[in-house]
Amino acid sequence: MRPLDPRLIKWAQATRLFLILSVILGAATAVTIVIQAALLARIITDVFQRGADLASIGQLTAGLAAVFAIRALLSYLQDWIAFRSSAQAKSQLRMAVLDHAVKLGPQFLDSRSTGGIAQLTGRGIDALDAYFARYLPQLLLAVVVPIVLGAVILSQDLLAAAIVAFTLPLIPLFMVLVGWYTQGKVDRQWRTLAVLSGYFLDVVAGLPTLKVFGRAKAQAANIRQVGDRYRKATMRVLRVSFLSSLVLELLATLSVAIVAVSIGLRLVGGSMDLQTALFVLILAPEAYLPLRMVGAQYHAAAEGISAAGELLDILETPLVESAAIGGAPAGPLALDLVDVSCRYPDRDVEVLKKLSCSFPVGQVTAVTGPSGSGKSTLLQLVLSFMQPTAGVVEVTGEQRSRSLSDIDSEAWLDQIAWLPQEPVMLAGSVFSNIRLGAPNADTESVERVAYQAGLTPDVLQQVLSDTGAGVSAGQRRRIGLARVLLRSKPLVLLDEPSASLDSHTEQVVADVIAELRAEGRTVVMVAHRPALITLADHIVHLEPVEQISEQVAVSGAGQVPLPGLRP
Amino acid sequence: MTANRGWRSRPVFRVMATARPVRGRLLLAGLLGALAIGSSVGLLATSAFLISKASQQPPILYLSVAIVLVRAFGIGRGVFRYAERLTGHDAAFRSLTDLRLAVFDRLTVVAPAGTSAYRSGDLLNRLVADVDAVVDLYLRVALPYIVAIVVGIGSVLLVTIFVPAAALALAAALLVGALIVPALTLRRLDRSQRKVAPAMARLTAETVTLADGSAEVIALGQQQRFLDRIAAADQELTQAAAVAARSSGVGSALGVLAQGGAIVAAIVFGTQAVTSGALDGVNLALVILVPLAAYEAVQVLPAAIVTLLRVRESARRITAVLDAPNPVPDPVNPVSIDAPGAVDLQVTALSAGWKLDDWVVGPVSLDVRPGRPVALVGPSGSGKSTVAAGLTRLCPSQGKVFFSDQDLSRATGDDVRRIIGLAEQNPHLFDSTVAENVRLARRSATDEEIHEILVELGLGPWLAALPDGLQTPVGRFGRAVSGGQRQRLALARVLLSETPIVVADEPTEYLDASSADVVMRALTRRCRHRGLLIITHRAADVAWCESSVSLGGQISV
C-alpha cells in the first residue's frame, strides 16, 4: 500500500490545498511544541534551582497556558480542515467516477453488483474520512515535526541531536527491513489463512444443503477445530508482522532513554545546565511521537485507501475507443442481422450464435423464445450497448445501408425509441417523466401521448419520490409507453410491453402498437403473450444456444407453435 | 440473559458475554498494555527525576538506580506493547470461535427461512463479516479502556505521593479525556449523521436511479440531466458535511486543553509545595511531566468509541440471528417415522411460504409412489422451489403430508429430511473435492459408487478431464464448476442418500436436450424403488413422468 496515492491528488483537487494547509499547521504545531518545552524547562529550573515562587513564574505559566490554548486551536483547525477537505475530495472523486461510469456505459454499470456503484460512491467512500482526517495529517507531521524539533535540539545539544538524528531514520529503515524479511513468511501464512477464514462462510452458506442431508449439527466440531487452527496460524503471522511495530516502539523509547541518561551524566559532570537538559528531555519524545502515531492510524487508513483504490480503478478503466464516425441513415429504417454471434465478456458461452434475421421497414416483428434464448441480448445489440463477437448488424435507411458498428452510438440512439422492462423514473411529476423522452416537447404533445398510453390527466400531475415510488408497475410501463410515443423515432424497441399488465392495459399496448404501425415505424417487440404475438407481421423465434448448434431464427407470419408448457 | 431489559441484554454485552472463557487472557493483555504505556510514564518520570538529581551533582552512584530504571522503561515500552498485542489477539480469536459456534448453532435451527441472511449472498457475507468484526470489540474498545483505567489510576497515585492537589487535577483531566471527549465525539457523529443522512439518502437514491436505468438514460441521451441531479444532491451532502466538520475538532481541542490544564495545575500546586517545603524541588519536574506522558492513555479512546458504534451495528445483527425464532418449530412430542418397504407420499393441499401464513404457493396436492415419477410444473417465479422447501421443512408450510399413512407434521424436521431428500436448484458446493461434496449425502459411500453415479448422470467426460478426477477441488463456492455440473452433483448427492422419497428441483436446468435426457434417464432408473418428484418448467422432463401437477391439480400425461 502506498501511503499517498498520487492518483488521489490528480482526481481530488481538494487534496492539494489540504496537503499545503496541513504542512503549515504541522509546522505551527511543531513551533508550539518547542515553545511549550522551553517554557516548561524554564519554569521547572526557576522554581527548583533559582527558588522562584508562584508569583515570579506567573507570567511564564500564563504564557504556557496560552501555548496550550494555541495548540488546542491548531488541533481544532486541523480536524476542521481535514473533514472539510475530505468532504470536498469525496465529492470530486464521486462525481468524476459517476461521470466516467456513465461514459463506460450500461454494460459496465450492470457488471457491478446490485447497488454496487451507489454504495461505492455513497457510503463506501466515507472510509476516506479516517484517511484524510487522521492518517494524512499524521503522515505530514511525521515529516515536519522531527525536522523542526531536530534542528532545535541541535541548537541546544549536539550529542542529543546526534542520537535523534541517528535513530529517527533508523525507524522507517528497520521497519522496511523487517517488512522485507517477514514478507515471504507472512505471505505463505496468509495463503493458509485465506483458506481457513473462508471456511466459516463456506459452511454458513452451505447450511441449507447440510440440513437437507442431516449434516449440519456435525459441523460444529469442525468449526471449533478450524477456528483453533485459524487462530494458531494467525498468531504465527502476527508474531512476525508485529515485529515491525516492536522495532518502532523500541527504537523510539530506547533513544529517549539514551538521551536522558547521556544528559544526566553530563549534568553530573557539570558540562550542561538543568534548563537545557530539561528542554531536550521534553522535546526528545515529541520528535518520535508523530511517527509512532502514523503506525497507530495505519489500520483505519488502509480501509480508506482501499475504498479510494476501487474508485480510482474505475476512473482508470479505459473507454472503448469507437471507430464509428458516421451518422445514422435517415428516414425509415430496416435492420438485418447476418450471422451474428454474441458473448458476455465474463462468460465463455455464447448467448447468440450465428443468428440471422430481419426487421423489415414499417413492420412489427415479434421476438419470442424461452428465457435464456438471448432476446434481451438481441435488444442490447440493436441498441449498440453490446458489440457482436462475429457477424454484422446492417442498418438500411432510405438511401443507403451501413454496418451498425460504423455508426456513432449517440447518433444511432437518437433514431430509437425504446421501452425497457423497467422504465427509469426520476423524482418529479409524471408529466416531467414522460417528457424525458423528448425534453423540448410541448404540453399538448405530452398530454396527447399520455392519453394514448392510457394515463388520465390527473395522473400527469402526480409526483414521484426520490426512489420512484408512487406509481404502480403498470403505470410505470404506461409512462414508458408514452415516452416512446413522444419520442417519435423511426425504430421502436419494446421489451415485453405487456408484462405485469392487466387485460385492459394490454389493450392499450395493442392500440399503441397499431398506432406505431400506422405511423410507419419499424417495431421490434420482445413478447410472451399470444395476444401481442398475433399483432406481429413477422416473428423471430429464438432457442437457447446450448440446445442447438446454430441459431436459425424461425420466422413466420402471425402464428408460431408456443413452446410446450410455458404459458 | 432471561430478561430482555437492562444493559446485559444489549447486543454489545450479549456478544461480549461469549468472551467469558477468555476473560483472564483479556485482562492480562490489558495489564500488559498498561505496563507499555506505564513504561512511557515511568520513562519520563524517572528521566525527570534523574536529570533534576544529576543537576545537584551527587556522586554518580546515587543515580545508578534511576539510570537502570530509565533504560528498563525505555525497553519495556516496546516489549510490553508487543506482548499485549499478541495476548490480546490470541484472546480475541479464541472468543471469535465461540461466537461463531453460537451463531452457527442458531443458524442450524433457523436457516434458511428464519433469517434474512439467506435472501442474498451480500447479506450472508455481511453476517460472516459481522462475526469477524467483533474482534475489534475486544482489541479496539475493551483493551484501550482497561489500559486507560490502569494507567490513569497508576499515574494519579504516583503524583499523589508528591502533590495530592496536582493529582486531583490530573484525575480531572484524565476523566475529561476518557469520558467527555469520547462523549463529544459520539454526539458529533450522531449530529452530523442526522444532518448528513438525509442528503446521503437522496444522493444514494439518485445514484441508484441512474445506475439501474443507465441503459435507458443513455438511450434517451439524458445522462447529463441525471448527473446534474446527482451533482445537486452531492452539493447538498458536501455542504452538510462541511457544516458538520466545524464541530469535529472540538473533542481533540478539549483534550489538549485538559492536558494543558493538568500541567498548569501541576506547576501551580507543585511550586506552592516547593515554596512551602512540602515538596523537595528535585521531584518537581516529575510532578509536572507525568501528566504530559499519562495523557497518552486516553488519547485513543475517541477512536475506541467510534469503533464501538460500528461494532454495535454488527452486534445487533448477530443478536438478531441469535434471537431469531424458529419459523418451522418441531412438534412438542415428535413421533418417529418408520420407513416400510412400500413407500408412498401423499400431499394434500400443501401451501408454503418463507413466512408463516404468508403462503407464496399452493395449495398443491400430489401423490408420489415408488417408481412412478411425478412432475410438478409451473413457470419460473410460480413458487415451485418453495414447495420443495416446504416439503423438506426448510420453510413454513400448511396442509397434510402423509408418508405411508404416517403424519409427517408430527415428526421432527430432521426426521422429515431422512424421509424426503432434496436436490436443490442452487446447491452449495463446499470448498473441497468433488468426491467429498457428493459424499456428504452418505459418509459410507465409496469412490466407486460416487464415480458410477456421476458417470450415469453424464459427467463421465467431465470427470475424465479433471486433473485429479474425483479428488479435484471444486474451489471456493464451487467456482470451477459450471451450473449444469453443479446441478448434477446435487442430484448425485440425493441419489446417494437413502431417503425413500427424492425431490429434484429443476434437474435439467442449464443442460442441453441430450444431456437432459441422460439425467432424466438416470434419475428415473435409480428411483425405481423410491418416490420421485421432479420440479421443472421443461416439457421434455415431464415426458419422463407418469403424472404431472401444474400447481393446481394432478393430471395424467
Side-chain angles (χ1 to χ4, degrees):
Chain A
M1 173 188 111
R2 274 183 291 183
L4 176 58
D5 196 326
R7 295 183 297 172
L8 197 60
I9 301 178
K10 179 179 161 200
W11 291 105
Q13 297 274 332
T15 316
R16 207 168 298 175
L17 179 66
F18 171 63
L19 288 177
I20 295 168
L21 285 173
S22 287
V23 171
I24 296 171
L25 284 175
T29 305
V31 171
T32 56
I33 290 172
V34 172
I35 299 173
Q36 174 191 320
L39 285 172
L40 277 170
R42 172 80 191 276
I43 290 168
I44 293 169
T45 314
D46 278 1
V47 176
F48 170 41
Q49 265 190 343
R50 299 168 193 143
D53 62 1
L54 197 53
S56 52
I57 58 159
Q59 271 188 334
L60 290 173
T61 311
L64 186 67
V67 169
F68 277 115
I70 292 170
R71 281 193 70 175
L73 181 68
L74 287 174
S75 126
Y76 169 82
L77 283 178
Q78 178 68 64
D79 273 10
W80 178 41
I81 290 168
F83 279 106
R84 211 191 144 85
S85 309
S86 179
Q88 277 164 354
K90 285 189 294 183
S91 158
Q92 286 162 349
L93 211 52
R94 173 184 298 136
M95 291 317 294
V97 166
L98 286 173
D99 207 54
H100 194 70
V102 167
K103 288 204 183 88
L104 286 168
Q107 285 300 320
F108 174 81
L109 283 164
D110 283 349
S111 71
R112 304 199 70 90
S113 64
T114 340
I117 196 125
Q119 161 68 19
L120 203 55
T121 56
R123 292 202 182 284
I125 206 175
D126 274 349
L128 267 181
D129 276 342
Y131 175 75
F132 266 91
R134 304 275 169 246
Y135 184 75
L136 263 192
Q138 206 62 55
L139 197 65
L140 293 169
L141 279 181
V143 178
V144 176
V145 170
I147 292 174
V148 175
L149 297 197
V152 173
I153 294 174
L154 182 65
S155 71
Q156 300 293 315
D157 180 39
L158 187 64
L159 189 57
I163 294 171
V164 172
F166 179 68
T167 54
L168 210 53
L170 277 186
I171 291 177
L173 184 71
F174 269 105
M175 286 179 81
V176 169
L177 284 180
V178 170
W180 270 344
Y181 171 70
T182 57
Q183 196 61 55
K185 284 185 180 185
V186 171
D187 278 352
R188 269 198 303 286
Q189 292 289 357
W190 275 125
R191 278 194 286 279
T192 328
L193 276 186
V195 174
L196 295 178
S197 74
Y199 176 78
F200 186 58
L201 179 60
D202 197 27
V203 280
V204 168
L207 195 50
T209 302
L210 291 171
K211 261 180 107 167
V212 165
F213 294 103
R215 296 286 300 276
K217 281 166 190 146
Q219 285 301 315
N222 285 344
I223 292 178
R224 176 166 296 286
Q225 205 192 347
V226 170
D228 280 345
R229 275 172 59 203
Y230 175 76
R231 175 176 56 81
K232 284 177 189 149
T234 312
M235 292 314 293
R236 273 197 296 275
V237 173
L238 294 182
R239 269 199 286 278
V240 178
S241 61
F242 286 166
L243 279 180
S244 66
S245 77
L246 173 64
V247 167
L248 185 150
E249 297 277 6
L250 213 51
L251 274 175
T253 43
L254 200 53
S255 326
V256 174
I258 293 169
V259 168
V261 172
S262 102
I263 294 170
L265 293 178
R266 277 178 293 149
L267 273 170
V268 177
S271 61
M272 191 182 230
D273 66 294
L274 179 63
Q275 191 173 333
T276 314
L278 281 171
F279 183 50
V280 172
L281 176 72
I282 295 166
L283 277 187
E286 297 281 358
Y288 296 94
L289 188 63
L291 205 56
R292 276 170 37 196
M293 297 295 280
V294 170
Q297 307 287 0
Y298 180 89
H299 181 79
E303 252 174 71
I305 290 181
S306 85
E310 270 187 76
L311 293 168
L312 292 168
D313 287 344
I314 294 180
L315 278 172
E316 309 217 321
T317 308
L319 295 172
V320 180
E321 285 295 324
S322 169
I325 26 113
L333 294 171
L335 285 179
D336 292 281
L337 275 67
V338 186
D339 282 342
V340 166
S341 297
C342 198
R343 183 156 51 93
Y344 285 93
D346 54 341
R347 273 176 245 170
D348 42 356
V349 190
E350 282 165 328
V351 202
L352 295 175
K353 201 168 176 182
K354 294 197 168 174
L355 174 70
S356 298
C357 60
S358 303
F359 302 104
V361 178
Q363 290 195 16
V364 177
T365 309
V367 179
T368 63
S371 55
S373 58
K375 301 188 299 286
S376 304
T377 311
L378 183 63
L379 288 188
Q380 297 285 312
L381 272 180
V382 173
L383 283 161
S384 73
F385 289 151
M386 271 184 89
Q387 309 307 324
T389 40
V392 278
V393 181
E394 288 279 339
V395 180
T396 313
E398 253 167 356
Q399 276 139 24
R400 52 189 178 150
S401 83
R402 62 196 314 175
S403 167
L404 179 55
S405 59
D406 292 336
I407 302 174
D408 173 60
S409 157
E410 208 170 307
W412 173 239
L413 288 171
D414 200 38
Q415 302 297 312
I416 301 178
W418 170 40
L419 173 69
Q421 285 188 23
E422 284 189 11
V424 65
M425 292 293 131
L426 56 81
S429 67
V430 169
F431 181 91
S432 65
N433 265 292
I434 294 174
R435 201 152 72 168
L436 211 54
N440 299 322
D442 55 36
T443 312
E444 221 168 88
S445 338
V446 175
E447 282 169 352
R448 196 189 65 242
V449 295
Y451 175 77
Q452 281 178 300
L455 291 163
T456 51
D458 53 307
V459 174
L460 283 183
Q461 296 317 317
Q462 211 168 306
V463 173
L464 281 72
S465 76
D466 274 354
T467 47
V471 288
S472 67
Q475 271 175 333
R476 206 166 152 161
R477 214 154 258 274
R478 275 177 276 200
I479 293 170
L481 213 51
R483 223 178 253 168
V484 164
L485 288 167
L486 190 65
R487 267 177 89 67
S488 112
K489 300 290 179 188
L491 183 59
V492 177
L493 308 178
L494 305 174
D495 197 351
E496 313 247 4
S498 66
S500 77
L501 291 187
D502 52 61
S503 55
H504 167 70
T505 325
E506 200 167 22
Q507 187 54 49
V508 171
V509 174
D511 291 347
V512 167
I513 292 171
E515 165 80 16
L516 289 167
R517 186 200 274 113
E519 287 172 8
R521 319 250 180 240
T522 307
V523 180
V524 179
M525 149 178 90
V526 171
H528 264 319
R529 296 209 186 173
L532 278 184
I533 297 174
T534 49
L535 290 175
D537 305 304
H538 185 74
I539 288 166
V540 170
H541 183 73
L542 300 178
E543 277 295 330
V545 165
E546 300 125 61
Q547 301 185 6
I548 46 172
S549 55
E550 188 170 301
Q551 231 164 358
V552 183
V554 184
S555 298
Q559 280 295 317
V560 278
L562 287 175
L565 279 142
R566 300 195 124 250
Chain B
M1 233 69 63
T2 42
N4 244 340
R5 292 186 303 270
W7 60 272
R8 278 177 180 278
S9 67
R10 289 192 179 181
V12 165
F13 289 101
R14 292 275 307 279
V15 167
M16 279 281 258
T18 55
R20 215 166 283 151
V22 298
R23 205 161 34 180
R25 287 169 198 273
L26 274 177
L27 282 177
L28 175 64
L31 200 63
L32 288 165
L35 283 173
I37 296 192
S39 293
S40 282
V41 178
L43 175 62
L44 204 57
T46 49
S47 303
F49 172 78
L50 169 71
I51 287 172
S52 302
K53 192 79 187 167
S55 71
Q56 296 174 331
Q57 301 182 327
I60 195 97
L61 203 66
Y62 280 45
L63 295 175
S64 56
V65 174
I67 290 174
V68 169
L69 274 179
V70 166
R71 286 177 178 155
F73 284 133
I75 295 169
R77 160 96 203 185
V79 173
F80 285 130
R81 176 93 176 106
Y82 183 71
E84 175 216 353
R85 294 176 79 185
L86 284 186
T87 317
H89 278 80
D90 184 64
F93 287 131
R94 278 173 198 271
S95 161
L96 178 64
T97 304
D98 290 339
L99 183 62
R100 281 180 171 168
L101 278 172
V103 169
F104 186 77
D105 274 350
R106 192 61 203 160
L107 282 177
T108 55
V109 175
V110 303
T115 160
S116 56
Y118 286 90
R119 252 164 255 158
S120 84
D122 283 350
L123 288 180
L124 202 62
N125 278 324
R126 194 178 68 183
L127 175 66
V128 170
D130 279 338
V131 175
D132 285 346
V134 171
V135 168
D136 283 347
L137 188 58
Y138 308 125
L139 297 179
R140 295 177 202 284
V141 182
L143 278 184
Y145 262 96
I146 295 176
V147 170
I149 290 167
V150 176
V151 172
I153 291 174
S155 310
V156 169
L157 285 180
L158 177 65
V159 178
T160 308
I161 297 172
F162 302 102
V163 187
L168 218 57
L170 175 60
L174 288 172
L175 282 177
V176 168
L179 300 176
I180 296 179
V181 175
L184 277 178
T185 309
L186 263 190
R187 209 172 68 132
R188 175 179 70 75
L189 281 178
D190 201 41
R191 269 191 175 178
S192 73
Q193 264 315 303
R194 242 179 294 148
K195 277 194 202 120
V196 170
M200 178 60 95
R202 205 187 128 205
L203 177 82
T204 308
E206 294 280 1
T207 318
V208 168
T209 306
L210 173 64
D212 286 353
S214 65
E216 194 190 358
V217 171
I218 291 170
L220 291 170
Q222 297 287 311
Q223 305 88 308
Q224 203 47 52
R225 174 143 169 209
F226 279 77
L227 284 174
D228 287 347
R229 290 176 68 101
I230 294 177
D234 170 74
Q235 268 312 306
E236 204 180 296
L237 174 68
T238 305
Q239 248 150 36
V243 171
R246 274 185 222 152
S247 62
S248 60
V250 173
S252 50
L254 185 66
V256 175
L257 286 179
Q259 191 187 15
I263 292 169
V264 169
I267 291 172
V268 171
F269 295 125
T271 307
Q272 276 178 340
V274 171
T275 313
S276 70
L279 177 69
D280 186 349
V282 82
N283 292 323
L284 179 68
L286 182 152
V287 170
I288 292 173
L289 295 187
V290 161
L292 204 57
Y295 207 76
E296 187 192 344
V298 296
Q299 256 161 354
V300 290
L301 297 184
I305 286 292
V306 176
T307 307
L308 180 63
L309 275 188
R310 182 165 51 78
V311 178
R312 203 168 60 181
E313 291 303 310
S314 294
R316 204 170 280 158
R317 288 190 288 260
I318 291 169
T319 39
V321 168
L322 294 177
D323 293 342
N326 187 355
V328 269
D330 284 333
V332 186
N333 295 310
V335 296
S336 62
I337 299 291
D338 304 324
V343 296
D344 162 35
L345 187 75
Q346 267 189 310
V347 178
T348 316
L350 181 85
S351 300
W354 294 97
K355 271 188 218 141
L356 198 64
D357 292 325
D358 184 10
W359 312 125
V360 298
V361 61
V364 169
S365 297
L366 40 85
D367 190 356
V368 183
R369 289 168 193 285
R372 298 168 73 177
V374 177
L376 179 64
V377 186
S380 44
S382 60
K384 300 189 298 288
S385 296
T386 316
V387 173
L391 278 176
T392 48
R393 207 63 90 65
L394 292 177
C395 75
S397 64
Q398 157 190 295
K400 289 203 175 85
V401 182
F402 275 79
F403 173 71
S404 295
D405 299 325
Q406 303 165 85
D407 186 356
L408 284 187
S409 68
R410 297 179 59 202
T412 63
D414 284 344
D415 278 347
V416 169
R417 290 184 286 268
R418 268 190 274 276
I419 302 291
I420 307 175
L422 170 67
E424 300 152 276
Q425 191 181 1
N426 292 307
H428 181 81
L429 291 188
F430 294 90
D431 189 3
S432 181
T433 62
V434 173
E436 283 308 307
N437 263 294
V438 178
R439 209 191 317 269
L440 76 88
R442 177 154 60 83
R443 300 205 72 170
S444 60
T446 62
D447 278 358
E448 287 70 36
E449 274 179 274
I450 293 171
H451 190 266
E452 197 187 327
I453 289 189
L454 292 180
V455 168
E456 215 175 307
L457 287 166
L459 287 177
W462 176 67
L463 275 181
L466 287 178
D468 290 317
L470 278 179
Q471 309 312 326
T472 310
V474 297
R476 193 175 279 192
F477 286 90
R479 273 196 197 116
V481 181
S482 79
Q485 290 146 0
R486 174 188 293 258
Q487 205 75 25
R488 284 177 279 184
L489 290 178
L491 289 171
R493 276 177 186 160
V494 75
L495 288 179
L496 201 60
S497 78
E498 283 157 339
T499 56
I501 306 291
V502 168
V503 179
D505 195 355
E506 300 280 9
T508 61
E509 182 107 349
Y510 312 110
L511 297 183
D512 60 39
S514 62
S515 303
D517 263 5
V518 170
V519 163
M520 288 307 296
R521 179 172 300 119
L523 258 182
T524 47
R525 202 182 71 82
R526 286 247 170 200
C527 290
R528 269 171 311 191
H529 307 294
R530 299 166 84 177
L532 176 61
L533 176 65
I534 304 279
I535 294 176
T536 185
H537 69 262
R538 287 163 77 145
D541 295 352
V542 181
W544 287 89
C545 298
E546 291 227 337
S547 61
S548 85
V549 178
S550 78
L551 287 178
Q554 194 153 358
I555 42 166
S556 280
V557 177

